[in-house]
Amino acid sequence: MKFRAIMGALCAAGLMCGVSAVQAAESVEVLHWWTSGGESKAVGVLKDDMTKQGYTWKDFAVAGGAGAAAMTALKTQVISGNAPSAAQIKGPLIQDWASQGVLVPIDSVAGDWKKNLPPEIDKIMHADGHYVAAPFSVHRVNWLYINKAALDKAGGKAPTTWPEFFAVADKMKAAGIQPIAMGGQPWQDLTLWEDVVLSQGAGFYKKALVDLDEKTLTSDQMVGVFDTVRKIQGYFDAGRTGRDWNLATAMVINGKAGMQFMGDWAKGEFANAGKKSGSDYICAAVPGTEKSYTFNVDSFVFFQQKGQKAATPGQLALAKTIMSPDFQEQFSLNKGSIPVRLGVSMAKFDDCAKKSYADEQVAIKSGGYVPSLAHGMAQPDAAAGAISDVVTKFMNSQQDSKSAVAALAKAAKTK
Ligand code: GAL
């Protein structure tokens, strides 16, 4: 009687109507690392949708951009037999987890996914011929965010080449503006470094970071990449050690710094702060990367739950919701990304998202659509981690570019 009374009250309040008691009782534990202002708003859309469907959302948020800390927490949970219902996993890591036999397929809600996803991305959501992951959105990594007022003081034109970039940075410096806001974690170093690799052309990027081709990794051009990174570092402030990415974004939002190299989750921060692209800030492709697109697709995988053979109703509801057109739109509007589901209207999105969408279509056709190494899309963990160590060591010491390149070639062989 008491239970029915509670259900009745919830129904009257617009919650949990028309769902069975079994569903109402299921709580879905969700592990993710979306804890910045924009990220929290975006994941909040999923939480609200699930709550409306009668599920209890158990938030397992592990702070730390790009998810290194979240991945450590996840391993501990799974080893101790307490796997969450769903976790934020992407790229080749999806296959890794699937090969451990701990994931459940979600095919029953993925009937129309194949025709609604770009083939490159549809493939990543599979293991052994089954869908085991649900994709949220597409983030473009190779962006440069620029404070509009700072840019106006530095000539007003977003740089499209490295010489133009350094000219703008010098002008900002001369105007008393900190040219670059940079955070201080290995993944942020790697994000900048892969941007510079990409500026050598998508073909060079693919050979270096997808094929791990030794000749490309040890080329003079790669030495030049490290030289450029070193030069860019000359425009960082002294306080970057340990700084989170969103605090660096806040420096650009508040006009304390002129520019930030960051994927478009940074746009979620601008949006959350009420800033508008075009008038408050500019989004530009990283110099030399206009025709290329480093993609980063977030997804959830679903862990087998105690006493269950297949995906639970809550897990299936999560997967179904994530790929629904309405959710795809609302999530990306908050997250700074674009919907991964094809055919979702871009009408409500800002100019930066529209540019991201248009550039994505061009890059897919021209071969410029490449997976981000820094965001777990290009290589398994071991090789990506070893390369990241090389880049971070270089950026936090006085190592010369030639010895960094030698270390890079060695790191790429890590299995
Ligand atoms: C990326 C992730 C994004 C964003 C960013 C910073 O790896 O794909 O969704 O949240 O980390 O945390």
Side-chain angles (χ1 to χ4, degrees), residues 43-89:
V43 74
V45 177
L46 184 58
K47 181 185 169 186
D48 291 350
D49 268 12
M50 290 299 288
T51 309
K52 275 189 205 133
Q53 292 174 56
Y55 296 97
T56 305
W57 177 277
K58 226 175 129 194
D59 203 45
F60 190 165
V62 184
M71 291 304 98
T72 309
L74 177 63
K75 280 180 204 149
T76 312
Q77 289 300 109
V78 177
I79 290 167
S80 62
N82 294 312
S85 315
Q88 190 185 347
I89 299 280

Short mmCIF file of all heavy atoms in Angstrom, two decimals, residues 43-89:
data_model
loop_
_atom_site.label_atom_id
_atom_site.label_comp_id
_atom_site.label_asym_id
_atom_site.label_seq_id
_atom_site.Cartn_x
_atom_site.Cartn_y
_atom_site.Cartn_z
N VAL A 43 25.93 15.75 -19.14
CA VAL A 43 25.58 14.42 -18.61
C VAL A 43 24.28 14.51 -17.81
O VAL A 43 23.53 13.53 -17.72
CB VAL A 43 26.76 13.79 -17.81
CG1 VAL A 43 26.94 14.43 -16.46
CG2 VAL A 43 26.57 12.28 -17.66
N GLY A 44 23.97 15.70 -17.31
CA GLY A 44 22.70 15.92 -16.60
C GLY A 44 21.50 15.66 -17.50
O GLY A 44 20.43 15.26 -17.03
N VAL A 45 21.66 15.89 -18.81
CA VAL A 45 20.56 15.63 -19.75
C VAL A 45 20.23 14.13 -19.73
O VAL A 45 19.06 13.74 -19.72
CB VAL A 45 20.95 16.07 -21.19
CG1 VAL A 45 19.84 15.74 -22.18
CG2 VAL A 45 21.28 17.55 -21.25
N LEU A 46 21.26 13.30 -19.67
CA LEU A 46 21.04 11.84 -19.65
C LEU A 46 20.42 11.40 -18.32
O LEU A 46 19.50 10.59 -18.28
CB LEU A 46 22.38 11.11 -19.89
CG LEU A 46 22.30 9.59 -20.00
CD1 LEU A 46 21.36 9.17 -21.14
CD2 LEU A 46 23.68 8.98 -20.24
N LYS A 47 20.95 11.98 -17.26
CA LYS A 47 20.41 11.66 -15.93
C LYS A 47 18.91 11.98 -15.89
O LYS A 47 18.10 11.15 -15.44
CB LYS A 47 21.18 12.47 -14.88
CG LYS A 47 20.73 12.21 -13.49
CD LYS A 47 21.43 13.11 -12.51
CE LYS A 47 20.75 12.97 -11.16
NZ LYS A 47 21.24 13.88 -10.17
N ASP A 48 18.54 13.16 -16.38
CA ASP A 48 17.12 13.55 -16.36
C ASP A 48 16.27 12.61 -17.20
O ASP A 48 15.18 12.21 -16.78
CB ASP A 48 16.95 14.99 -16.87
CG ASP A 48 17.54 16.00 -15.88
OD1 ASP A 48 17.88 15.59 -14.75
OD2 ASP A 48 17.66 17.18 -16.25
N ASP A 49 16.78 12.27 -18.38
CA ASP A 49 16.02 11.36 -19.26
C ASP A 49 15.79 10.02 -18.58
O ASP A 49 14.70 9.46 -18.64
CB ASP A 49 16.81 11.10 -20.56
CG ASP A 49 16.43 12.08 -21.66
OD1 ASP A 49 15.75 13.07 -21.34
OD2 ASP A 49 16.82 11.86 -22.82
N MET A 50 16.83 9.50 -17.95
CA MET A 50 16.72 8.19 -17.29
C MET A 50 15.77 8.26 -16.10
O MET A 50 14.99 7.35 -15.85
CB MET A 50 18.11 7.69 -16.85
CG MET A 50 19.01 7.29 -18.00
SD MET A 50 18.34 5.95 -19.01
CE MET A 50 18.54 4.55 -17.90
N THR A 51 15.85 9.35 -15.36
CA THR A 51 14.97 9.51 -14.20
C THR A 51 13.51 9.55 -14.66
O THR A 51 12.64 8.93 -14.06
CB THR A 51 15.35 10.80 -13.42
OG1 THR A 51 16.75 10.76 -13.18
CG2 THR A 51 14.61 10.89 -12.11
N LYS A 52 13.28 10.27 -15.75
CA LYS A 52 11.91 10.35 -16.30
C LYS A 52 11.40 8.98 -16.70
O LYS A 52 10.21 8.71 -16.64
CB LYS A 52 11.88 11.29 -17.50
CG LYS A 52 11.71 12.72 -17.10
CD LYS A 52 11.45 13.61 -18.31
CE LYS A 52 11.88 15.02 -17.99
NZ LYS A 52 12.69 15.64 -19.01
N GLN A 53 12.32 8.11 -17.12
CA GLN A 53 11.90 6.76 -17.52
C GLN A 53 11.76 5.82 -16.32
O GLN A 53 11.49 4.65 -16.46
CB GLN A 53 12.91 6.17 -18.51
CG GLN A 53 12.93 6.88 -19.86
CD GLN A 53 14.05 6.36 -20.76
OE1 GLN A 53 14.14 5.17 -21.03
NE2 GLN A 53 14.91 7.26 -21.20
N GLY A 54 12.02 6.34 -15.13
CA GLY A 54 11.78 5.54 -13.93
C GLY A 54 13.01 4.87 -13.34
O GLY A 54 12.88 4.06 -12.42
N TYR A 55 14.18 5.18 -13.85
CA TYR A 55 15.39 4.56 -13.30
C TYR A 55 16.03 5.48 -12.28
O TYR A 55 15.87 6.70 -12.34
CB TYR A 55 16.37 4.25 -14.44
CG TYR A 55 15.81 3.24 -15.40
CD1 TYR A 55 15.19 3.66 -16.59
CD2 TYR A 55 15.83 1.89 -15.11
CE1 TYR A 55 14.62 2.73 -17.45
CE2 TYR A 55 15.27 0.96 -15.97
CZ TYR A 55 14.67 1.39 -17.13
OH TYR A 55 14.10 0.47 -17.97
N THR A 56 16.78 4.87 -11.38
CA THR A 56 17.51 5.68 -10.40
C THR A 56 18.94 5.82 -10.89
O THR A 56 19.61 4.84 -11.16
CB THR A 56 17.50 4.98 -9.02
OG1 THR A 56 16.15 4.74 -8.67
CG2 THR A 56 18.18 5.82 -7.96
N TRP A 57 19.38 7.03 -11.01
CA TRP A 57 20.74 7.32 -11.52
C TRP A 57 21.70 7.36 -10.34
O TRP A 57 21.54 8.16 -9.41
CB TRP A 57 20.71 8.67 -12.22
CG TRP A 57 22.03 9.16 -12.74
CD1 TRP A 57 23.01 9.81 -12.04
CD2 TRP A 57 22.51 9.06 -14.08
NE1 TRP A 57 24.05 10.12 -12.86
CE2 TRP A 57 23.77 9.67 -14.13
CE3 TRP A 57 21.99 8.51 -15.27
CZ2 TRP A 57 24.54 9.75 -15.30
CZ3 TRP A 57 22.74 8.60 -16.44
CH2 TRP A 57 24.00 9.21 -16.44
N LYS A 58 22.68 6.47 -10.38
CA LYS A 58 23.70 6.49 -9.34
C LYS A 58 24.98 7.02 -9.97
O LYS A 58 25.61 6.34 -10.78
CB LYS A 58 23.92 5.05 -8.83
CG LYS A 58 23.96 4.93 -7.33
CD LYS A 58 24.05 3.49 -6.92
CE LYS A 58 25.19 3.29 -5.95
NZ LYS A 58 25.54 1.89 -5.75
N ASP A 59 25.30 8.24 -9.62
CA ASP A 59 26.43 8.90 -10.29
C ASP A 59 27.76 8.44 -9.74
O ASP A 59 27.98 8.47 -8.53
CB ASP A 59 26.27 10.42 -10.10
CG ASP A 59 27.00 11.20 -11.17
OD1 ASP A 59 26.87 10.83 -12.35
OD2 ASP A 59 27.70 12.17 -10.82
N PHE A 60 28.65 7.99 -10.62
CA PHE A 60 30.00 7.61 -10.21
C PHE A 60 30.95 8.47 -11.05
O PHE A 60 31.51 8.03 -12.04
CB PHE A 60 30.19 6.11 -10.48
CG PHE A 60 31.44 5.50 -9.90
CD1 PHE A 60 31.55 4.11 -9.82
CD2 PHE A 60 32.49 6.27 -9.43
CE1 PHE A 60 32.69 3.52 -9.29
CE2 PHE A 60 33.64 5.69 -8.89
CZ PHE A 60 33.74 4.32 -8.83
N ALA A 61 31.07 9.74 -10.65
CA ALA A 61 31.90 10.67 -11.41
C ALA A 61 33.30 10.70 -10.81
O ALA A 61 33.46 10.84 -9.61
CB ALA A 61 31.28 12.06 -11.35
N VAL A 62 34.30 10.53 -11.65
CA VAL A 62 35.69 10.58 -11.20
C VAL A 62 36.35 11.75 -11.94
O VAL A 62 36.58 11.68 -13.15
CB VAL A 62 36.44 9.26 -11.51
CG1 VAL A 62 37.85 9.31 -10.95
CG2 VAL A 62 35.67 8.06 -10.96
N ALA A 63 36.63 12.83 -11.22
CA ALA A 63 37.15 14.03 -11.85
C ALA A 63 38.50 13.77 -12.50
O ALA A 63 39.26 12.90 -12.08
CB ALA A 63 37.28 15.14 -10.81
N GLY A 64 38.80 14.55 -13.52
CA GLY A 64 40.09 14.44 -14.20
C GLY A 64 39.88 14.38 -15.70
O GLY A 64 39.40 13.36 -16.20
N GLY A 65 40.22 15.47 -16.40
CA GLY A 65 40.04 15.54 -17.85
C GLY A 65 40.64 14.34 -18.55
O GLY A 65 41.64 13.77 -18.10
N ALA A 66 39.98 13.94 -19.63
CA ALA A 66 40.43 12.84 -20.49
C ALA A 66 40.39 11.48 -19.80
O ALA A 66 40.72 10.47 -20.41
CB ALA A 66 41.80 13.09 -21.09
N GLY A 67 40.01 11.43 -18.52
CA GLY A 67 39.62 10.17 -17.91
C GLY A 67 40.67 9.23 -17.35
O GLY A 67 40.34 8.09 -17.02
N ALA A 68 41.92 9.68 -17.19
CA ALA A 68 42.93 8.74 -16.67
C ALA A 68 42.52 8.22 -15.28
O ALA A 68 42.57 7.01 -15.02
CB ALA A 68 44.30 9.41 -16.61
N ALA A 69 42.09 9.11 -14.41
CA ALA A 69 41.70 8.70 -13.05
C ALA A 69 40.45 7.81 -13.09
O ALA A 69 40.32 6.84 -12.34
CB ALA A 69 41.45 9.92 -12.17
N ALA A 70 39.53 8.13 -14.00
CA ALA A 70 38.30 7.33 -14.12
C ALA A 70 38.63 5.90 -14.55
O ALA A 70 38.03 4.94 -14.06
CB ALA A 70 37.36 7.98 -15.13
N MET A 71 39.60 5.77 -15.45
CA MET A 71 39.95 4.42 -15.92
C MET A 71 40.57 3.58 -14.80
O MET A 71 40.34 2.38 -14.70
CB MET A 71 40.92 4.50 -17.12
CG MET A 71 40.30 5.06 -18.38
SD MET A 71 38.81 4.17 -18.96
CE MET A 71 37.48 5.17 -18.31
N THR A 72 41.35 4.22 -13.94
CA THR A 72 41.94 3.51 -12.80
C THR A 72 40.83 3.05 -11.85
O THR A 72 40.81 1.90 -11.40
CB THR A 72 42.93 4.43 -12.05
OG1 THR A 72 43.83 4.97 -13.01
CG2 THR A 72 43.71 3.71 -10.99
N ALA A 73 39.90 3.94 -11.58
CA ALA A 73 38.78 3.60 -10.68
C ALA A 73 37.97 2.45 -11.27
O ALA A 73 37.55 1.54 -10.55
CB ALA A 73 37.89 4.82 -10.47
N LEU A 74 37.77 2.48 -12.57
CA LEU A 74 36.97 1.44 -13.22
C LEU A 74 37.62 0.06 -13.05
O LEU A 74 36.94 -0.91 -12.71
CB LEU A 74 36.79 1.77 -14.71
CG LEU A 74 36.02 0.72 -15.51
CD1 LEU A 74 34.59 0.57 -15.01
CD2 LEU A 74 35.99 1.08 -17.00
N LYS A 75 38.94 0.02 -13.27
CA LYS A 75 39.64 -1.28 -13.14
C LYS A 75 39.42 -1.84 -11.74
O LYS A 75 39.12 -3.01 -11.56
CB LYS A 75 41.13 -1.10 -13.43
CG LYS A 75 41.42 -1.06 -14.91
CD LYS A 75 42.90 -0.89 -15.19
CE LYS A 75 43.09 -0.28 -16.56
NZ LYS A 75 44.27 0.57 -16.69
N THR A 76 39.57 -1.00 -10.72
CA THR A 76 39.39 -1.44 -9.35
C THR A 76 37.99 -1.99 -9.13
O THR A 76 37.80 -3.05 -8.53
CB THR A 76 39.62 -0.25 -8.37
OG1 THR A 76 40.82 0.38 -8.76
CG2 THR A 76 39.70 -0.69 -6.94
N GLN A 77 36.99 -1.28 -9.65
CA GLN A 77 35.60 -1.71 -9.47
C GLN A 77 35.35 -3.07 -10.12
O GLN A 77 34.72 -3.95 -9.53
CB GLN A 77 34.63 -0.69 -10.11
CG GLN A 77 34.53 0.62 -9.38
CD GLN A 77 34.03 0.44 -7.97
OE1 GLN A 77 34.79 0.60 -7.02
NE2 GLN A 77 32.77 0.10 -7.80
N VAL A 78 35.86 -3.24 -11.34
CA VAL A 78 35.58 -4.48 -12.06
C VAL A 78 36.30 -5.65 -11.38
O VAL A 78 35.72 -6.71 -11.16
CB VAL A 78 35.98 -4.36 -13.55
CG1 VAL A 78 35.75 -5.69 -14.29
CG2 VAL A 78 35.17 -3.25 -14.23
N ILE A 79 37.56 -5.42 -11.00
CA ILE A 79 38.33 -6.49 -10.35
C ILE A 79 37.65 -6.92 -9.05
O ILE A 79 37.60 -8.09 -8.71
CB ILE A 79 39.79 -6.05 -10.10
CG1 ILE A 79 40.52 -5.95 -11.45
CG2 ILE A 79 40.54 -7.01 -9.17
CD1 ILE A 79 41.85 -5.24 -11.40
N SER A 80 37.08 -5.96 -8.32
CA SER A 80 36.47 -6.32 -7.05
C SER A 80 35.02 -6.81 -7.21
O SER A 80 34.28 -6.95 -6.23
CB SER A 80 36.54 -5.13 -6.08
OG SER A 80 35.80 -4.06 -6.63
N GLY A 81 34.60 -7.03 -8.46
CA GLY A 81 33.26 -7.60 -8.70
C GLY A 81 32.14 -6.59 -8.57
O GLY A 81 30.99 -6.96 -8.36
N ASN A 82 32.48 -5.30 -8.64
CA ASN A 82 31.45 -4.26 -8.52
C ASN A 82 31.38 -3.39 -9.77
O ASN A 82 31.34 -2.16 -9.68
CB ASN A 82 31.76 -3.36 -7.32
CG ASN A 82 31.64 -4.11 -6.02
OD1 ASN A 82 30.65 -4.81 -5.81
ND2 ASN A 82 32.66 -4.02 -5.19
N ALA A 83 31.35 -4.04 -10.92
CA ALA A 83 31.34 -3.26 -12.16
C ALA A 83 30.10 -2.37 -12.21
O ALA A 83 29.00 -2.80 -11.86
CB ALA A 83 31.34 -4.21 -13.35
N PRO A 84 30.27 -1.10 -12.65
CA PRO A 84 29.09 -0.23 -12.80
C PRO A 84 28.20 -0.73 -13.93
O PRO A 84 28.62 -1.57 -14.73
CB PRO A 84 29.71 1.13 -13.15
CG PRO A 84 31.03 0.80 -13.78
CD PRO A 84 31.50 -0.47 -13.11
N SER A 85 26.98 -0.21 -14.02
CA SER A 85 26.09 -0.60 -15.12
C SER A 85 26.68 -0.14 -16.45
O SER A 85 26.62 -0.85 -17.45
CB SER A 85 24.71 0.05 -14.98
OG SER A 85 24.25 -0.04 -13.66
N ALA A 86 27.23 1.08 -16.44
CA ALA A 86 27.78 1.65 -17.67
C ALA A 86 29.01 2.47 -17.34
O ALA A 86 29.13 3.00 -16.23
CB ALA A 86 26.74 2.53 -18.35
N ALA A 87 29.93 2.54 -18.29
CA ALA A 87 31.12 3.36 -18.07
C ALA A 87 31.53 4.02 -19.38
O ALA A 87 31.33 3.49 -20.47
CB ALA A 87 32.27 2.52 -17.54
N GLN A 88 32.13 5.21 -19.21
CA GLN A 88 32.60 6.00 -20.34
C GLN A 88 33.90 5.40 -20.86
O GLN A 88 34.96 5.56 -20.23
CB GLN A 88 32.81 7.44 -19.86
CG GLN A 88 33.06 8.46 -20.94
CD GLN A 88 33.38 9.82 -20.36
OE1 GLN A 88 33.19 10.07 -19.17
NE2 GLN A 88 33.88 10.71 -21.19
N ILE A 89 33.81 4.69 -21.97
CA ILE A 89 34.97 4.03 -22.56
C ILE A 89 34.92 4.34 -24.05
O ILE A 89 33.83 4.37 -24.62
CB ILE A 89 34.85 2.48 -22.41
CG1 ILE A 89 34.80 2.07 -20.95
CG2 ILE A 89 35.94 1.74 -23.15
CD1 ILE A 89 36.13 2.03 -20.29
#
